[in-house]
Amino acid sequence: MGCSVLFVCLGNICRSPLAEAALRAEAKRLGLEVEIDSAGTGDWHIGHPPDHRAAAVALRNGVDISGLRARQVTPKDFRRFDHIVALDGQNLVDLQRMRPADGKAELSLLLDHVEGKEGQAVADPYYGEAEHFDQTWSEVVDGAKSLARKIGGPSR
Ligand code: 4NP
């Protein structure tokens, strides 16, 4: 029986769709059964496809995320997912505030799973330059690899 992971950023059009794609790729590579989704704390981009710069960096790395559509995190997500993984500290604070009393999901920061990067944020690239998206990709891949190893157990 696999587990489930929800990645959460602010808009769900840059960082969390990339984290979703990175973990999907890593889980496939390792043959892990894991349900993966992403959402945003904000509502501005509900229904929108990923930012074109995020889609471009994913494609350069062999993953097509153009079919994803942004959604907002809901209280139900805290019951549905085993892990809710925030991309930055503000996302984590917002999640802690909205968590319902019966929410079972374990909350963490993505880079908490990466040795030496605990407590660090995946910086918001939205107002940055194109190179920031390469940095975002590299950070979410590091996070996804560590997370996949944890999910897969000590044998991996
Ligand atoms: P994301 O990036 O949280 O990584 O999806 C952002 C996307 C949109 C906005 C902020 C961050 N925004 O303010 O609209």
Side-chain angles (χ1 to χ4, degrees):
M1 182 58 200
C3 75
S4 53
V5 180
L6 177 70
F7 293 105
V8 175
C9 64
L10 181 59
N12 192 211
I13 55 167
C14 297
R15 293 166 293 173
S16 61
L18 291 176
E20 174 182 349
L23 183 60
R24 233 178 254 285
E26 189 60 13
K28 188 174 175 195
R29 197 176 73 76
L30 296 173
L32 295 179
E33 199 185 308
V34 44
E35 188 196 341
I36 307 161
D37 195 9
S38 66
T41 57
D43 62 3
W44 313 283
H45 297 286
I46 293 173
H48 295 181
D51 183 284
H52 67 278
R53 298 161 298 175
V57 77
L59 214 49
R60 283 202 294 282
N61 289 280
V63 192
D64 183 2
I65 62 166
S66 62
L68 298 179
R69 293 294 177 267
R71 72 171 182 89
Q72 192 172 24
V73 66
T74 73
K76 258 191 198 164
D77 289 318
F78 293 82
R79 294 185 281 271
R80 181 171 150 218
F81 290 91
D82 300 313
H83 301 277
I84 300 185
V85 182
L87 276 285
D88 70 28
Q90 185 60 51
N91 307 146
L92 186 59
V93 167
D94 291 340
L95 286 166
Q96 282 158 347
R97 284 204 189 113
M98 72 180 292
R99 162 187 228 141
D102 62 347
K104 68 170 168 67
E106 194 174 306
L107 302 186
S108 62
L109 205 51
L110 179 64
L111 295 182
D112 278 349
H113 301 281
V114 179
E115 212 180 315
K117 290 197 175 175
E118 296 88 349
Q120 292 183 29
V122 174
D124 187 348
Y126 189 64
Y127 295 105
E129 306 296 328
E131 314 83 81
H132 288 119
F133 283 80
D134 289 296
Q135 163 102 21
T136 304
W137 177 256
S138 132
E139 288 173 351
V140 301
V141 166
D142 283 351
K145 287 188 169 169
S146 305
L147 207 50
R149 272 196 300 276
K150 284 191 187 180
I151 291 167
S155 63
R156 287 175 197 271

